[in-house]
């Protein structure tokens, strides 16, 4: 993903109903180049729909971040396809440091978050998961 992709995602977050021509103008590309980028982001699973809910307009519910360490000899690349199939996971980030991945999950309530955690822990590639429940959202 490059800067133009990030600009396109930011424009979609602001207004997912904008026309392709307006999006292209915003990111400084032609309509066809913007369509190709958008299609690629959809194929890659980065864009899964065209409804973006952020900030104070986000519906009430539970949110948590999971800090994951995978088993020795395993990689994040091996885990990602399995994690993508778990309902409730909304973002996956490979990171450097003592942990290997940061995962964000959203659900209707704490039970939904517990179900996501249980599904993550059940994966044989996972060595350890720390759960950080979100108490309040201030931005994003």
């Amino acid at each position: 993903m490059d800067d133009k992709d990030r600009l396109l995602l930011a424009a979609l977050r602001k207004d997912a109903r904008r026309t392709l021509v307006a999006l292209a103008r915003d990111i400084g590309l032609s309509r066809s180049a913007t369509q190709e980028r958008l299609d690629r982001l959809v194929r890659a699973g980065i864009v899964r729909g065209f409804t973006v809910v952020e900030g104070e307009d986000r519906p009430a519910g539970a949110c948590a971040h999971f800090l994951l360490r995978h088993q020795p000899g395993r990689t994040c690349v091996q885990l990602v396809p399995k994690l993508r199939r778990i309902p409730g996971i909304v973002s996956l980030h490979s990171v450097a440091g003592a942990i290997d991945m940061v995962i964000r999950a959203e659900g209707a309530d704490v039970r939904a978050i517990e179900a996501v955690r249980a599904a993550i822990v059940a994966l044989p590639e996972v060595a350890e998961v720390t759960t950080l429940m979100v108490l309040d959202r201030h931005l994003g």
Side-chain angles (χ1 to χ4, degrees), residues 18-135:
R18 300 215 38 212
T19 66
L20 200 53
V21 172
L23 291 169
R25 190 175 337 114
D26 287 351
I27 66 173
L29 292 176
S30 69
R31 184 206 155 293
S32 60
T34 302
Q35 180 70 60
E36 288 174 16
R37 283 179 181 270
L38 185 55
D39 291 344
R40 184 174 38 79
L41 292 170
V42 169
R43 282 192 309 273
I46 295 167
V47 174
R48 293 187 208 167
F50 293 92
T51 301
V52 179
V53 180
E54 291 187 293
E56 294 178 5
D57 296 334
R58 182 176 282 160
C63 179
H65 297 271
F66 300 104
L67 309 180
L68 179 146
R69 281 189 328 102
H70 52 65
Q71 293 285 354
R74 301 298 181 147
T75 67
C76 294
V77 172
Q78 293 170 321
L79 269 169
V80 167
K82 293 178 180 184
L83 292 167
R84 282 181 167 223
R85 289 192 289 266
I86 298 174
I89 291 180
V90 296
S91 69
L92 299 167
H93 299 280
S94 298
V95 295
I99 60 169
D100 298 306
M101 294 188 83
V102 176
I103 302 166
R104 191 177 93 213
E106 295 180 356
D109 52 29
V110 174
R111 285 190 182 145
I113 298 299
E114 289 173 340
V116 173
R117 186 183 193 290
I120 293 170
V121 171
L123 297 173
E125 296 88 353
V126 174
E128 181 182 333
V129 176
T130 301
T131 305
L132 305 172
M133 287 299 298
V134 172
L135 301 177

